[in-house]
Amino acid sequence: MARLEHLNLTVSDADAFAALLGDLFDWTVRWSGPVLGGAGRSVHVGGPDDYLALYTPGAGVGTAPDSYVTPGALNHIGVVVDDIAQAESRVREAGFTPHNHADYEPGRRFYFDGPDGVEIEVVAYD
């Protein structure tokens, strides 16, 4: 059986994005440093078994097309939490607006648009 270990995502500020995810989800930075011969910086944030590799190119980021119509684009990141009310409170306190709340089989969810327009889905399973 295979499992997903990490995703690599280009962001405008890898350190700030990692700090936010740490505050919201109690994730930790597993590694950070220069990459691609010093042409960029990466921060790995998550848990002991899986993480997001947040990459900031040295030359800065450009603008991206709509992910929902671009092949290969990231549409959202899904994060499972134990306490969805607490997670939503943290998201609001961080200045983001939760939306698209839903109760569905087998749990509950909401979304919010994080830094760089990255949509994050937060879900709790019953």
Side-chain angles (χ1 to χ4, degrees), residues 36-123:
L36 300 176
R41 177 168 175 74
S42 187
V43 179
H44 296 182
V45 61
D49 298 321
D50 43 46
Y51 62 95
L52 285 176
L54 303 171
Y55 167 71
T56 301
V61 296
T63 58
D66 182 350
S67 67
Y68 281 91
V69 297
T70 304
L74 175 74
N75 293 320
H76 67 263
I77 299 167
V79 178
V80 178
V81 297
D82 292 328
D83 185 335
I84 200 161
Q86 179 187 49
E88 184 169 355
S89 177
R90 286 181 175 184
V91 166
R92 287 184 187 282
E93 288 171 9
F96 299 100
T97 303
H99 60 86
N100 200 15
H101 293 77
D103 292 342
Y104 67 105
E105 187 63 37
R108 299 180 329 163
R109 70 163 189 240
F110 70 87
Y111 294 80
F112 70 97
D113 297 324
D116 297 320
V118 175
E119 185 177 59
I120 299 174
E121 176 185 11
V122 180
V123 61

